C-alpha cells in the first residue's frame, strides 16, 4: 500500500498527535525540562564559587611575602579599625611603646605616693584559718622544670610574633595584635585563671595591699612599695616578686631574674605552670610580706574569674590594639587608592579638571619613590627636596609628552634627550601640568607638580620619582 500525504495532511496529523498525548508523557517532559534548568543554575553557581576561591587564594599568596617581612623586620604602629585614618608612623615602635610603658609606671608611682599621704588607721586583725588545703600539691608527679620553661618561652615567642591577614574593603592587610594584660587573661585557659584567682586573693589578704591593672600587667603595692606584679604570656601566668633571685639559687624554687626595667623593683620572676608551683608561689608571697612588715587582714575570697571573649569583641572594648606595619599599611593604601583611580579612568584628561576629580592624598600615595635616601638632599624641615644629580634643572609639560610619545611608552631623562625635547646638559627634570594628556605613559623623572601626577595616573599611567 502506498501512502501519499501532502504537507497539509502531515501538519494536521502532527497537531492531532500532540493534542492527544497522554498526561503522564506531558509530566515526564516537564520534569526533564525542569531538570535541565536546575542543572544550568547549579553549574553557573559552582563556577562562580570556584572563581571566588581562586581570587581569594591569589590574594593570600600575594600577602605571604609581606607576612614574612612583617615578622622579620617591620616595626608596627597602631591605626584605627578601618586602617585609613592614620598616616603617621614611627621608625621604631618598640622604643615608643617602651616610653609609654615607662610613663604608665611613673603615673602609677605618683598615684601610689598620693594615696599614701592619707594616714592609715590601725585596723583590728581578724583571726582566720590560714591553713591551705595543699595535700594535693605533695602528691604531684615531678615535672622537668627546665622543659616547662623552654616550652613556655617558645609559646611567648609565638604570641609576640603573631600576625594575621585581615580583608578590609576587599584588600588583604597584615595585622598584628597588641593585647593588654586583661585581654590576655580573658583569653587564657581556666587553669591559669584559677592560679591567678588564688594568688591574687592571697596577696590582697595582707593589709594595705592594693591592686592596679595597667595595659601591660597588674601591680600589687603596699603603700609606696611595689611587692608583686602579674603578667600572662602564652599559657603561663608570671608572678614577679620583690625578692632577690640570687637568694633562691640551687633551691626548689626555680625562679628567674627579669632584667626588664619594667620589673626592676620586682625582679624575681616565677612561672606558675602547675599546682606544685602554685604552692611554692604562696611561700614566696609570704616571704615578701614578711620582708615588708605586712600582716594578714581579712581573708579574701573574691572571684576574679573573667569569661572568655573573642578577639573581635576585645578590640571593640579597646582591650586589644590592632597594629599594622608601615610597609603593609602603605601597600594597602596604594592598592585601595589605585582601585579608586581605576574606577574613574579617563581616556583623556585636561590640567584644568584634575583637581576636581581626585584628591592630592590619593595622587601622592600612587607615586613610586625610587630615590636612595643616602643620596637625597633635605630642607630645614628634614624633607627630601632632591637627589644628587649632574647637570642643570629643566622642566617639561604634560602636553609635550602626550604629543611626543606613544601609549605605554617609558618617559625617562634619556628618552627626552633622544627626542630632542630637552638640552643635553639637563640632568634634572620636573614635569608640569598643561594642556591635555590622552594616553597612558610610564614616567620616570625627578619631580612633578601634583596636577601632573593626577593627569598621568588618571589616564592609566605610572609615576616614578627617581
Amino acid at each position: 500500500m502506498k501512502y501519499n500525504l501532502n504537507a497539509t495532511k502531515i501538519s494536521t496529523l502532527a497537531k492531532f498527535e500532540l493534542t492527544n498525548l497522554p498526561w503522564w508523557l506531558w509530566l515526564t517532559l516537564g520534569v526533564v525540562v525542569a531538570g535541565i534548568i536546575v542543572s544550568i543554575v547549579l553549574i553557573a553557581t559552582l563556577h562562580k564559587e570556584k572563581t571566588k576561591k581562586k581570587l581569594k587564594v591569589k590574594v593570600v599568596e600575594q600577602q605571604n611575602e609581606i607576612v614574612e617581612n612583617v615578622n622579620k623586620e617591620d616595626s608596627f604602629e597602631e591605626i584605627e579599625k578601618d586602617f585609613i585614618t592614620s598616616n603617621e608612623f614611627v621608625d621604631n615602635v618598640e622604643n615608643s611603646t617602651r616610653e609609654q610603658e615607662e610613663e604608665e609606671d611613673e603615673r602609677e608611682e605618683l598615684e601610689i605616693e598620693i594615696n599614701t599621704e592619707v594616714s592609715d588607721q590601725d585596723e583590728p586583725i581578724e583571726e582566720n584559718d590560714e591553713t591551705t588545703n595543699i595535700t594535693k600539691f605533695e602528691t604531684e608527679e615531678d615535672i622537668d622544670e627546665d622543659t616547662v620553661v623552654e616550652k613556655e618561652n617558645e609559646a611567648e615567642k609565638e604570641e609576640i610574633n603573631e600576625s594575621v591577614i585581615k580583608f578590609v574593603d576587599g584588600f588583604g592587610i597584615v595585622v598584628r595584635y597588641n593585647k593588654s594584660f586583661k585581654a590576655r587573661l580573658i583569653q587564657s585557659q581556666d587553669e591559669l585563671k584559677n592560679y591567678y584567682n588564688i594568688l591574687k586573693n592571697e596577696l590582697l589578704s595582707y593589709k594595705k595591699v592594693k591592686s592596679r591593672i595597667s595595659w601591660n600587667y597588674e601591680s600589687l603595692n603596699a603603700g609606696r612599695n611595689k611587692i608583686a606584679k602579674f603578667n600572662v604570656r602564652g599559657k603561663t601566668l608570671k608572678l614577679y616578686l620583690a625578692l632577690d633571685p640570687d637568694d633562691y639559687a640551687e633551691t626548689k624554687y626555680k625562679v628567674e631574674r627579669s632584667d626588664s626595667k619594667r620589673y626592676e623593683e620586682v625582679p624575681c620572676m616565677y612561672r606558675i605552670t602547675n599546682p606544685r608551683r602554685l604552692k611554692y608561689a604562696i611561700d614566696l608571697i609570704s616571704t615578701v610580706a614578711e620582708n615588708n612588715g605586712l600582716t594578714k587582714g581579712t581573708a579574701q575570697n573574691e572571684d576574679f574569674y573573667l569569661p572568655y571573649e573573642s578577639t573581635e569583641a576585645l578590640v571593640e572594648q579597646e582591650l586589644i590594639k590592632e597594629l599594622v606595619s608601615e610597609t603593609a599599611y602603605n601597600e594597602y593604601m596604594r592598592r585601595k587608592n589605585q582601585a579608586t583611580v581605576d574606577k574613574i579612568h579617563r581616556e583623556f584628561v585636561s590640567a584644568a579638571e584634575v583637581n576636581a576629580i581626585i584628591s592630592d592624598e590619593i595622587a601622592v600615595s600612587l607615586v613610586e619613590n625610587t630615590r636612595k635616601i643616602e643620596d637625597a638632599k633635605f630642607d630645614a624641615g628634614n624633607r627630601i627636596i632632591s637627589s644628587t644629580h649632574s647637570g642643570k634643572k629643566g622642566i617639561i609639560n604634560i602636553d609635550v609628552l602626550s604629543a611626543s610619545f606613544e601609549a605605554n611608552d617609558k618617559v625617562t631623562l634619556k628618552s627626552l634627550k633622544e627626542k630632542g625635547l630637552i638640552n643635553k646638559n639637563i640632568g634634572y627634570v620636573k614635569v608640569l601640568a598643561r594642556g591635555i594628556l590622552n594616553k597612558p605613559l610610564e614616567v620616570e623623572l625627578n619631580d612633578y607638580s601634583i596636577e601632573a601626577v593626577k593627569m598621568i595616573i588618571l589616564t592609566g599611567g605610572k609615576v616614578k620619582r627617581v
Side-chain angles (χ1 to χ4, degrees), residues 311-361:
T311 296
E312 290 75 15
L314 295 175
V315 170
E316 289 289 337
Q317 299 173 46
E318 298 184 352
L319 292 175
I320 294 180
K321 298 175 183 178
E322 292 184 308
L323 311 178
V324 63
S325 73
E326 182 176 4
T327 300
Y329 178 74
N330 289 340
E331 175 63 15
Y332 161 73
M333 291 302 299
R334 186 195 67 78
R335 294 174 61 198
K336 180 180 176 66
N337 291 334
Q338 185 62 61
T340 300
V341 171
D342 290 343
K343 292 178 182 178
I344 53 176
H345 172 79
R346 301 294 179 91
E347 293 298 326
F348 66 91
V349 66
S350 68
E353 64 180 325
V354 289
N355 285 331
I357 300 175
I358 59 173
S359 67
D360 293 356
E361 290 76 15

Side-chain angles (χ1 to χ4, degrees), residues 330-331 334 338 361-372 384 387 410 442-448 453 456-457 461-466:
N330 289 340
E331 175 63 15
R334 186 195 67 78
Q338 185 62 61
E361 290 76 15
I362 290 179
V364 170
S365 70
L366 296 179
V367 176
E368 182 179 347
N369 196 337
T370 61
R371 292 178 179 176
K372 294 182 179 180
I384 296 178
S387 299
K410 183 176 290 187
E442 293 186 21
V443 187
E444 300 181 4
L445 293 171
N446 307 100
D447 203 0
Y448 306 80
V453 172
I456 296 170
I457 62 176
K462 296 181 180 179
V463 181
K464 286 187 179 181
R465 179 176 290 156
V466 298

Side-chain angles (χ1 to χ4, degrees), residues 43-257:
I43 291 171
T45 303
L46 290 173
H47 178 72
K48 185 177 180 180
E49 292 297 325
K50 187 176 181 181
T51 303
K52 284 183 179 179
K53 288 181 180 179
K54 286 183 178 179
L55 289 174
K56 188 171 182 180
V57 168
K58 186 176 180 180
V59 171
V60 172
E61 288 176 351
Q62 291 174 346
Q63 295 299 317
N64 285 340
E65 184 177 354
I66 299 177
V67 174
E68 293 175 1
N69 292 334
V70 165
N71 288 335
K72 289 179 180 179
E73 60 188 33
D74 280 343
S75 60
F76 285 77
E77 179 67 9
E78 182 182 358
I79 63 172
E80 297 295 332
K81 283 181 58 186
D82 57 6
F83 303 106
I84 61 173
T85 59
S86 174
N87 287 320
E88 297 180 359
F89 290 86
V90 294
D91 293 331
N92 191 332
V93 175
E94 292 182 357
N95 290 337
S96 176
T97 303
R98 189 177 299 111
E99 291 174 1
Q100 293 175 2
E101 292 166 355
E102 290 174 0
E103 289 177 1
E104 285 184 4
D105 291 342
E106 291 174 1
R107 287 196 298 270
E108 179 182 338
E109 292 173 0
L110 181 59
E111 290 176 5
I112 293 170
E113 291 177 1
I114 293 173
N115 290 335
T116 53
E117 289 178 0
V118 180
S119 59
D120 295 321
Q121 297 181 355
D122 292 335
E123 300 177 6
I125 301 176
E126 297 183 10
E127 295 295 332
N128 61 81
D129 185 6
E130 296 181 9
T131 59
T132 306
N133 183 13
I134 58 174
T135 55
K136 62 179 181 180
F137 300 143
E138 306 301 334
T139 59
E140 282 288 319
E141 294 182 0
D142 288 341
I143 299 174
D144 187 344
E145 300 291 350
D146 292 334
T147 301
V148 170
V149 170
E150 182 178 350
K151 288 182 178 180
E152 295 304 330
N153 278 333
E154 287 300 317
E156 179 177 339
K157 182 178 179 182
E158 290 175 2
E159 179 179 348
I160 293 173
N161 292 331
E162 177 189 4
S163 57
V164 297
I165 295 178
K166 294 189 70 174
F167 288 89
V168 184
D169 299 331
F171 299 102
I173 185 169
V174 181
V175 174
R176 187 175 292 179
Y177 295 120
N178 179 6
K179 298 182 179 181
S180 64
F181 166 75
K182 190 173 181 179
R184 296 195 298 271
L185 185 61
I186 288 172
Q187 295 190 329
S188 64
Q189 297 179 348
D190 284 348
E191 185 180 40
L192 184 151
K193 293 177 183 178
N194 184 46
Y195 295 155
Y196 167 78
N197 205 57
I198 293 172
L199 293 176
K200 184 171 180 178
N201 273 302
E202 178 66 20
L203 284 159
L204 292 176
S205 68
Y206 289 92
K207 290 186 61 177
K208 299 183 181 181
V209 175
K210 304 294 181 183
S211 168
R212 178 184 179 275
I213 296 179
S214 62
W215 182 267
N216 296 292
Y217 49 76
E218 179 175 4
S219 298
L220 291 109
N221 311 297
R224 297 185 180 183
N225 298 326
K226 294 181 180 179
I227 61 172
K229 288 185 179 182
F230 284 115
N231 204 344
V232 175
R233 285 296 183 187
K235 298 180 180 179
T236 302
L237 174 66
K238 292 184 176 182
L239 176 63
Y240 296 82
L241 297 166
L243 296 171
D244 186 352
D246 294 339
D247 294 341
Y248 296 91
E250 306 300 328
T251 66
K252 64 181 180 180
Y253 304 103
K254 301 284 186 177
V255 300
E256 302 170 55
R257 176 180 292 279

